[in-house]
Amino acid sequence: MSEIKSVAVIGAGVMGAAIAAHVANAGVKVMLLDIVKPGSADRNAIAKGAIERFKKIEPAPLMSPKAARLITPGNTEDDFARLAECDWIVEAVIERLDVKQALYARLAAVRKPGSVVSSNTSTIPLAELMLAMPASLRPDFVITHFFNPPRYMRLLELVTGAETHAETIEAITRFCDVMLGKSVVVCRDTPGFIANRIGTYWIQTALVLAMEMGLEIEDADAIMGKPMGFPSTGVFGLMDLVGIDLGPHVNASLARLLPPGDAFHTMNRDMPMIGMMIDQGYTGRKGKGGFYRRSGRGTEALRETLSLKAAAGGVLEWRETAKSDIAEVKDAKKDLKKLVGAKSVAGQYAWGVLGRVLAYAAALVPEIADDISDIDEAMRLGYTWKYGPFELIDKLGAAWIAERLGALGIAVPPILAKLGSGSFYKTVDGTLMQFDSAGTYRPVRRPAGVVLLEDIKRGQKPVLTNKSASVWDIGDGVLCFEFHSIMNSLDGDILSLLDKTIALVAKSYQALVIYTENLRAGPGRENFSVGANLGLAVFAANLRMWGKIEGSIKDGQKTYQALRYAPFPVVGAPAGRALGGGSEILLHCTAVQAHAETYIGLVECGVGLVPGWGGCAAMLARWQTPKDTPKGPMPAVAKVFEMVSTAKVSTSAADAKDLKFLKPDDGITMNRMRVLADAKALALAKVAGYRPPEPVVLQLPGESGRVGLAMAVAEFRKKGIATAHDVTVSTHLARVLTGGDADIIDPVSETDVMALEREAFMALFRTKESQARIKHTLETGRPLRN
């Protein structure tokens, strides 16, 4: 098997259907098969129903509705022979060994030689799956354990056997890495593999100790969340998210498979509370609620929390959610030791859970994996921990942890004893090294072709830098401009350094990449840039420094124009949110190489402003030029007005192409770790013979166009969809997009439109309503409708 070009998924349940959707996200054709539904006239009803549900599921499994066209529904009776066409067949049926083994016998008879067959199981070992498996299938059979939801969770655990062909491993690893965007971690065939082995023990320990120590849920989640770099939901909130009914199944599997001496058994207690919740339909967010629930409807809905003290007495009782206020949790923001070392109940709980979990992870080396970096990556990506267990040990100090384990009745794991007072990770000559069970250090391996900025930083100092941004030499005559302000918001320091960088590249380098890297951010939480630093603008407004604010708008426009017309290629490489001024940077780049999970939008109207750094002109140009846009000045204006006035944000990079935030020939990278390398390659590909673009000339409708837009806004206002200030903002936006006082026959330059942007921006910023919107957004993170 040299390359995977076609895929089939058998089992159209939650996971199987979502895996098929993500294969389609990669632009690959995929068959989705399930049984024939008894009594249904449509023999493909189950698979078709799964595809139809994609429209309703949040978060959305598909990156674009167009991807659904690549999924062919079918059934395991009429379409089974068609599996011979597929290079990879994923089994995602019920977690019953007899059902899976019967399916494998059928697959062996129809699949083409060399095709990969994998199971998505998380509870049945590879060795058990291969019992009685036909000999012809064994060399091409693996476990590919996806995490839910497959589109967003970057981890894929790959389990192989002694008989697995090297070509099979290489083909499936390459496809899942490059095409599906997964970080593929090769696991030993041990119960729970890596992430669920440690993650289940963590959740169970946190749950049991909270009950035993008399904590309430809000306090337990506050302790077991952000202070440790764990998901902000905490453990109880996380169980609500993934489904409370999932826990007993995973626990039962581990209890059956793990040897009697495994520490898991010490925490696998019978918990009647969980059984009562499941029996009554309290399975979490997918049910009637869980540890947390909503009581009431609409704005009157009250958030309630299950009382653990009442549940310990056999009663399910919810009360109004309280705000946790633990001093040690606040102290932990600067020093985690202040929490886990505290003598208080909070400190005892924190150490009781974390100490056990870190010791457990250390004791599993090399049973579950040779490399501690693989274990850390599995926990970061599979359970969205900010730090893996060995990184956490380094933060606290290995010797400090070893000294305190005795109080928990836990023996110091061999690898921790060998490490002594050292650290699991260290940098040697610019290379990140990791400690192993043999007591030596070896390099942390990156997949071939991966370039990470964090690795580059270990071996050099920045070419240019200030408090908000830095510039790095990434080789071959290419510089990388990185934001590192709060949420990568844009300020005067960034604009100033970008001006210097443009001059430097023009003089001494070949190309520029604009890229930021936060690989530890959870799904949907990474920022390329959230746009201009409005906090600084509000500060200036409070001092009536209107000239300074307008000057920053002019400076931004000047810098972005310099970027657009630079005599060298500039490639934007976004991942996560690129909003407001962050999206305008991308609009002024030569090209963009975006991570698939990039969310782009001109969102200024949401805070009572209009785009001020050339976004209006750029979007008008993009919507006027395509052949599929109706002729005349009004269609493009109407479309851009709709998008900008509603603060439309793309739901993916594919969606951004449909919205024209990205150009048709811009690149999309599925694997987050490959974005920088792909962006650099794209920049270098454009160097030879590069010429900057010609200035944009627009045809805009003028006053007649504004009349039409005003009528639409008035209708929204009449229906109660638009507020009074929405009308004001839309009126200013309409003037910008229609060309101000220009006549319909007059050519309008991008410079003219940017002048209108400045005028509208300043007029709106002076209003108390826009200032209220800005302040509310800065304080709450949510828009204000005034």
Side-chain angles (χ1 to χ4, degrees):
M1 171 58 60
S2 59
E3 189 176 359
I4 294 172
K5 296 181 179 179
S6 59
V7 179
V9 179
I10 304 176
V14 173
M15 280 301 292
I19 291 169
H22 195 53
V23 173
N25 288 334
V28 176
K29 292 182 179 180
V30 55
M31 284 197 296
L32 179 61
L33 308 185
D34 210 302
I35 63 172
V36 175
K37 186 176 181 179
S40 174
D42 187 345
R43 294 174 64 81
N44 299 334
I46 294 178
K48 286 182 178 178
I51 297 170
E52 186 64 25
R53 283 193 295 275
F54 290 158
K55 300 175 183 178
K56 304 175 184 177
I57 296 174
E58 290 293 338
L62 293 173
M63 293 179 176
S64 168
K66 296 177 182 177
R69 302 171 191 167
L70 296 172
I71 308 174
T72 301
N75 68 77
T76 52
E77 294 180 20
D78 305 326
D79 303 299
F80 206 79
R82 293 188 60 193
L83 295 173
E85 306 166 13
C86 300
D87 301 316
W88 177 25
I89 303 166
V90 183
E91 170 268 299
V93 302
I94 188 172
E95 290 288 86
R96 274 180 47 186
L97 185 59
D98 59 332
V99 174
K100 293 177 184 290
Q101 289 178 333
L103 176 60
Y104 301 152
R106 292 184 66 197
L107 284 173
V110 301
R111 74 179 188 105
K112 65 181 177 182
S115 61
V116 180
V117 177
S118 73
S119 174
N120 184 56
T121 185
S122 61
T123 60
I124 304 176
L126 183 76
E128 290 189 8
L129 294 174
M130 295 181 71
L131 289 173
M133 180 178 287
S136 62
L137 180 54
R138 299 167 76 90
D140 299 315
F141 183 78
V142 296
I143 289 175
T144 49
H145 180 215
F146 288 82
F147 281 70
N148 194 28
R151 169 183 166 182
Y152 301 93
M153 300 301 288
R154 288 166 43 205
L155 176 64
L156 184 135
E157 292 180 320
L158 177 65
V159 185
T160 65
E163 299 178 61
T164 312
H165 280 160
E167 294 84 356
T168 298
I169 298 172
E170 181 180 354
I172 197 67
T173 299
R174 180 72 179 169
F175 184 84
C176 291
D177 173 342
V178 177
M179 298 301 294
L180 300 187
K182 301 302 174 189
S183 287
V184 180
V185 174
V186 179
C187 309
R188 297 265 168 77
D189 188 21
T190 56
F193 312 135
I194 295 176
N196 280 348
R197 178 78 172 272
I198 297 172
T200 302
Y201 179 77
W202 164 58
I203 290 173
Q204 191 68 12
T205 301
L207 184 63
V208 167
L209 292 187
M211 294 283 288
E212 290 183 352
M213 298 177 71
L215 271 73
E216 288 292 10
I217 286 175
E218 297 94 335
D219 288 339
D221 278 349
I223 295 166
M224 208 50 54
K226 285 185 178 180
M228 298 181 185
F230 296 155
S232 59
T233 57
V235 167
F236 291 92
L238 181 63
M239 290 177 70
D240 278 357
L241 184 63
V242 301
I244 293 168
D245 54 336
L246 180 64
H249 294 291
V250 177
N251 285 4
S253 173
L254 290 174
R256 177 179 71 88
L257 296 168
L258 291 172
D262 194 274
F264 171 80
H265 297 296
T266 65
M267 288 295 157
N268 188 30
R269 320 280 177 81
D270 181 38
M271 304 194 72
M273 170 187 68
I274 299 295
M276 286 191 295
M277 294 178 72
I278 294 171
D279 289 343
Q280 296 181 34
Y282 290 101
T283 54
R285 296 188 188 182
K286 66 182 180 181
K288 297 191 297 183
F291 293 107
Y292 298 94
R293 72 176 188 181
R294 289 280 181 182
S295 176
R297 294 185 177 181
T299 57
E300 302 300 320
L302 184 69
R303 192 174 192 227
E304 296 182 328
T305 306
L306 182 72
S307 170
L308 288 186
K309 293 178 181 178
V315 178
L316 296 183
E317 184 177 285
W318 283 262
R319 51 168 175 73
E320 186 175 350
T321 299
K323 184 177 181 180
S324 179
D325 186 19
I326 301 174
E328 294 91 336
V329 169
K330 298 174 183 176
D331 293 339
K333 292 179 180 179
K334 294 183 178 180
D335 185 358
L336 182 56
K337 280 186 181 179
K338 290 185 177 181
L339 173 58
V340 296
K343 303 297 183 183
S344 63
V345 172
Q348 292 176 47
Y349 176 66
W351 173 245
V353 177
L354 189 61
R356 285 177 170 86
V357 171
L358 297 183
Y360 190 58
L364 293 176
V365 181
E367 178 188 342
I368 60 174
D370 281 330
D371 290 351
I372 62 165
S373 59
D374 283 345
I375 297 174
D376 279 345
E377 184 166 25
M379 295 314 298
R380 286 196 307 267
L381 301 183
Y383 276 75
T384 64
W385 289 12
K386 186 174 183 180
Y387 308 102
F390 297 96
E391 292 173 318
L392 281 167
I393 292 173
D394 280 356
K395 285 175 71 70
L396 291 170
W400 186 86
I401 288 174
E403 183 182 349
R404 291 171 53 86
L405 287 179
L408 299 177
I410 299 174
V412 176
I415 193 172
L416 198 58
K418 287 180 182 179
L419 183 65
S421 59
S423 61
F424 277 107
Y425 294 97
K426 65 179 181 180
T427 299
V428 178
D429 296 329
T431 299
L432 182 63
M433 309 291 286
Q434 61 181 322
F435 194 73
D436 61 24
S437 57
T440 60
Y441 284 92
R442 60 171 178 248
V444 173
R445 297 169 296 175
R446 306 292 189 200
V450 166
V451 176
L452 299 183
L453 194 56
E454 66 178 59
D455 289 339
I456 290 170
K457 291 178 180 180
R458 289 189 181 94
Q460 63 172 264
K461 293 182 178 180
V463 177
L464 298 169
T465 189
N466 61 28
K467 66 179 182 179
S468 295
S470 296
V471 181
W472 303 90
D473 188 337
I474 57 175
D476 301 311
V478 182
L479 291 186
C480 176
F481 191 97
E482 173 204 23
F483 314 127
H484 46 69
S485 54
I486 296 175
M487 299 181 75
N488 297 331
S489 59
L490 307 173
D491 56 24
D493 286 329
I494 287 177
L495 296 178
S496 174
L497 194 68
L498 194 51
D499 285 336
K500 293 177 182 178
T501 303
I502 292 168
L504 179 62
V505 176
K507 180 181 178 182
S508 305
Y509 293 85
Q510 294 195 86
L512 177 65
V513 170
I514 301 177
Y515 168 83
T516 62
E517 188 171 277
N518 183 7
L519 299 177
R520 296 177 186 273
R525 296 184 180 276
E526 188 172 6
N527 295 310
F528 172 73
S529 172
V530 296
N533 188 331
L534 292 176
L536 294 176
V538 169
F539 177 79
N542 288 336
L543 299 177
R544 317 293 289 178
M545 300 170 64
W546 306 117
K548 183 174 180 62
I549 296 172
E550 186 168 6
S552 69
I553 302 301
K554 289 181 178 179
D555 289 343
Q557 291 181 344
K558 178 182 175 183
T559 299
Y560 281 28
Q561 287 290 288
L563 200 66
R564 175 176 172 80
Y565 295 109
F568 52 82
V570 179
V571 173
R577 287 171 289 199
L579 306 178
S583 66
E584 287 174 300
I585 278 189
L586 300 177
L587 291 170
H588 286 82
C589 288
T590 308
V592 173
Q593 185 72 37
H595 180 231
E597 298 297 345
T598 298
Y599 318 114
I600 307 175
L602 294 168
V603 298
E604 289 86 349
C605 286
V607 291
L609 301 172
V610 298
W613 285 341
C616 293
M619 288 303 290
L620 285 169
R622 292 194 178 189
W623 277 96
Q624 280 195 0
T625 53
K627 294 179 181 179
D628 57 352
T629 301
K631 299 302 179 184
M634 200 58 198
V637 169
K639 186 62 181 179
V640 177
F641 180 79
E642 174 194 342
M643 289 170 55
V644 177
S645 64
T646 60
K648 177 74 173 179
V649 177
S650 70
T651 57
S652 66
D655 186 43
K657 283 198 172 187
D658 292 338
L659 297 173
K660 302 193 187 336
F661 287 122
L662 297 181
K663 298 192 290 276
D665 57 348
D666 283 336
I668 297 177
T669 299
M670 292 292 283
N671 193 320
R672 177 65 186 86
M673 295 179 71
R674 295 185 177 275
V675 173
L676 181 56
D678 288 352
K680 176 184 173 182
L682 179 59
L684 288 172
K686 292 183 174 295
V687 167
Y690 179 74
R691 291 182 180 180
E694 294 295 323
V696 171
V697 178
L698 301 166
Q699 182 187 7
L700 300 177
E703 185 176 356
S704 61
R706 286 197 291 282
V707 172
L709 297 177
M711 291 174 63
V713 172
E715 188 64 24
F716 284 131
R717 175 63 174 149
K718 183 179 179 181
K719 293 179 179 179
I721 299 173
T723 68
H725 196 54
D726 287 337
V727 175
T728 301
V729 175
S730 296
T731 301
H732 282 282
L733 176 63
R735 178 171 171 78
V736 175
L737 296 179
T738 57
D741 295 328
D743 191 272
I744 192 170
I745 62 173
D746 295 332
V748 181
S749 70
E750 58 188 326
T751 304
D752 295 331
V753 177
M754 285 190 291
L756 292 168
E757 284 182 345
R758 290 196 306 271
E759 175 188 308
F761 187 98
M762 292 307 301
L764 287 167
F765 206 105
R766 289 173 180 267
T767 66
K768 64 180 185 299
E769 292 85 0
S770 287
Q771 291 179 30
R773 286 191 178 190
I774 295 168
K775 291 175 183 177
H776 185 270
T777 301
L778 291 173
E779 291 170 1
T780 69
R782 297 187 298 272
L784 173 67
R785 299 300 309 280
N786 60 347

